Amino acid sequence: MSVADLLDVLKRGRKVAVLTGAGISAESGIPTFRGKDGLWNRFDPAQLATYEAFLKDPKLVWKWYLWRMHLIANARPNPGHYAVAKMEELFPDFLLITQNVDGLHREAGSRRLVELHGNIFRGKCRFCGKEYSEEEFSQLWPLAGRDFLSSISEEELKGQVFDEIDRGNLPRCLNCGEIVGPGVVWFGESLPEDALSRAFSFASSCDILFSVGTSAVVQPAASIPLYAKRSGAVIVEVNPEETPLSPYCDFVFRGSASQVLPQIVSSLEGS
Ligand code: BV8
Ligand code: ZN
């Protein structure tokens, strides 16, 4: 499969969607969930990314999230993220639908995007429903501030910061006083209605949908490419590995997002 084969489809493309998963951030040093070094491999999702786990052991769940936030605060977008931001300018109508919570797409310049699973630097009180922006949450709990996290080493994180948490320093809701959790969508929690409906309605009328760096397993996001296909879209997968979506794709690029996407963008710009 070469980019040239895809080129005339791309040139005719008017309305283009890109669905991304953890794989596009892999080259930024953020481990994926199910890959060899996947986050989940060391931790069981049911153990940590669920409301039950948070109720049972909020200190453990917050340590895991702070460890991830520390990684992300020290990570930078990679050429894959920048290529997606560029695609937004190259097509008349475009939407990025990301499952990622790391905020790297926005940092790379993407503006037409929906974050299906929230954002790891925001806060959400699951008792009264109050939501905290990144700014508000870092004021409520400075340990979760992006600037603070990028100023400390992993040793300091696992030393003094985790000790703080053990001593009971957890974010308390300004509204109801309960412990605030991360502003992400946990397993068993429903996705933000507006983001989900925007994603599905765009997918139902797009010409091309790229599925990039996702194992196409987690629902309902994994249904979006099939929904687009049923509506007549050309489906392109960019992933070094086979996924359950692969058989339904019109074009498959078995490679890394940070290699393949810039090639697609430069062939488009050159055409
Ligand atoms: C819901 C935020 C219901 C949190 C995430 C059975 C039991 C229990 C639950 C279910 C079940 N069956 C279905 C469910 C529902 C469940 C689900 O889908 N489970 C799966 C595991 C089967 N879904 C939910 O619970 C969803 N909610 O259904 O609610 C409901 C309905 C109404 C009312 C109330 C409730 C919520 C799902 C969201 C969960 N939250 N994240 C956090 O991050 O901590 S999901 C998490 O997985 C991330 O968001 C991640 O993005 C997402 C998907 O994973 P991927 O992004 O695909 O990452 P992965 O590691 O899997 O794959 C990486 C890929 O990249 C690989 O293919 C690899 O080859 C590739 N790659 C590697 N390097 C590169 C690369 N690609 C390109 N370039 C590279 N360099
Ligand atoms: Zn509250």
Side-chain angles (χ1 to χ4, degrees), residues 67-86:
W67 177 75
R68 290 173 61 196
M69 291 157 77
H70 179 256
L71 258 182
I72 292 164
N74 289 297
R76 290 288 152 268
N78 65 59
H81 293 106
Y82 289 111
V84 172
K86 190 75 194 147

Side-chain angles (χ1 to χ4, degrees), residues 61-99:
V61 172
W62 261 123
K63 284 180 190 171
W64 184 54
Y65 275 94
L66 280 185
W67 177 75
R68 290 173 61 196
M69 291 157 77
H70 179 256
L71 258 182
I72 292 164
N74 289 297
R76 290 288 152 268
N78 65 59
H81 293 106
Y82 289 111
V84 172
K86 190 75 194 147
M87 288 169 83
E88 189 168 314
E89 299 160 23
L90 295 175
F91 293 105
D93 199 357
F94 179 89
L95 183 65
L96 166 61
I97 303 163
T98 188
Q99 300 172 84

Side-chain angles (χ1 to χ4, degrees), residues 156-207:
E156 287 166 315
L157 177 81
K158 291 182 171 171
Q160 68 200 49
V161 174
F162 283 10
D163 291 349
E164 274 282 305
I165 291 179
D166 288 336
R167 280 197 295 273
N169 180 343
L170 288 170
R172 289 281 169 181
C173 181
L174 298 172
N175 231 10
C176 70
E178 293 291 345
I179 302 172
V180 181
V184 298
V185 179
W186 279 333
F187 288 102
E189 291 186 328
S190 44
L191 278 61
E193 198 34 58
D194 51 324
L196 196 57
S197 54
R198 195 170 159 211
F200 272 97
S201 68
F202 193 94
S204 69
S205 59
C206 67
D207 313 317

Side-chain angles (χ1 to χ4, degrees), residues 22 27 33-34 65 68 117 185 188-189 214-215 219 239 257:
E27 315 273 317
F33 291 80
R34 291 166 194 81
Y65 275 94
R68 290 173 61 196
H117 296 158
V185 179
E189 291 186 328
T214 179
S215 58
Q219 294 298 348
N239 193 320

